[in-house]
Amino acid sequence: MDKKELAEFLRRRREMLRPRDVGMTEGPRRRTQGLRREEVAQLAGMSTDYYARLEQQRAPQPSIQITTALARALRLTLDERDHLFGLIGHNAPARLQRSEHVSPTLMRVLDRLDDSPALVLTDMADTLAMNPLAIALIGDQTRHTGLARSAYYRWFMDPAERLVYPEEDHEHHSRTQAARLRVALTAGSDTPRAARILAELREQSPEFVRAWELQEVAQRYDESKTIVHPQLGRIEVDGQVLFTDNRAQTLVVLTTRPGTESHSKLELLSVIGHQQLTP
């Protein structure tokens, strides 16, 4: 770990970003050049003290998870990300395989979306990033670990996953998840993991087996769906997607039709965020 070069690299990259570049509000009296340390720490999900010690050459070696979070927070390109990994003393993730590093292009779009729920998914249905409105609508999907990081796995193994959708839509979602897993198994960025999920679901979920035996294949995200919010009830959304060149990551933007009850509910949700609507 090259503490001196790492500290300089982090400071320079931080100073090159403006709050608007990462979806933050820039106040009129702001004097700091670039982002503040506490803002980078917030974006990376770490303590301000720990980040400050990195820039002061006093911190121990960050883990791979923290290094990945730093690269994402500073909106690094792949070349810059690989350089950061090298300075910290880790091998950079392979570029042609599944990566935790969200495409900078997708992140730039995500940062600017504050009136529509949006999230970044991998072709394994792992959620890499969400904006605050998406978290308020469907919950924090980035918190899962292990095989449960994949929505393909969670749909059949975690009953809580189904609370987001009406019961009459469950069969459709089951078939969709199985069809998308089939694509990931043969042409995805992490086929060994897809195979592990397949083996586990075949053993544990008769419902998955029935859906799998239909031999359906699909890669697209549903264009329209109904979300069930615990306080606001049903919200009808349309999904628009933006892919990276290799289609390994997808930005999904959920919108509602103006003038509808669902649109009014989403506007209310954007105001209240995570606050509880009822005692």
Side-chain angles (χ1 to χ4, degrees), residues 147-177:
L147 294 183
R149 291 199 63 192
S150 172
Y152 304 147
Y153 180 88
R154 293 198 309 275
W155 179 257
F156 295 99
M157 300 298 290
D158 183 359
E161 189 76 6
R162 303 190 174 213
L163 299 178
V164 180
Y165 302 104
E167 186 173 355
E168 63 268 23
D169 292 346
H170 287 184
E171 181 181 357
H172 168 74
H173 286 296
S174 295
R175 292 174 61 175
T176 298
Q177 299 291 40

Side-chain angles (χ1 to χ4, degrees), residues 2-74:
D2 190 331
K3 291 188 175 182
K4 182 177 182 299
E5 286 296 322
L6 173 63
E8 182 68 13
F9 181 70
L10 291 175
R11 183 176 65 83
R12 291 291 187 183
R13 297 307 307 171
R14 173 172 61 82
E15 290 176 349
M16 292 180 67
L17 288 173
R18 304 295 298 181
R20 62 178 177 270
D21 296 329
V22 297
M24 292 181 170
T25 301
E26 186 170 342
R29 298 183 179 180
R30 187 182 185 90
R31 297 180 179 178
T32 303
Q33 181 181 359
L35 295 182
R36 300 186 179 99
R37 286 174 174 174
E38 58 266 28
E39 290 170 336
V40 174
Q42 177 185 342
L43 290 168
M46 65 180 64
S47 72
T48 300
D49 177 69
Y50 182 77
Y51 179 78
R53 285 188 286 128
L54 284 173
E55 286 199 6
Q56 294 165 356
Q57 306 178 41
R58 298 189 296 112
Q61 183 188 45
S63 66
I64 291 177
Q65 290 76 17
I66 290 179
T67 306
T68 299
L70 279 171
R72 184 180 305 164
L74 293 170

Side-chain angles (χ1 to χ4, degrees), residues 61-65 67 82-93:
Q61 183 188 45
S63 66
I64 291 177
Q65 290 76 17
T67 306
D82 292 353
H83 180 66
L84 176 67
F85 269 76
L87 290 177
I88 290 177
H90 296 307
N91 293 325

Side-chain angles (χ1 to χ4, degrees), residues 69-80:
L70 279 171
R72 184 180 305 164
L74 293 170
R75 306 306 191 249
L76 301 185
T77 66
L78 283 177
D79 288 340
E80 292 165 342

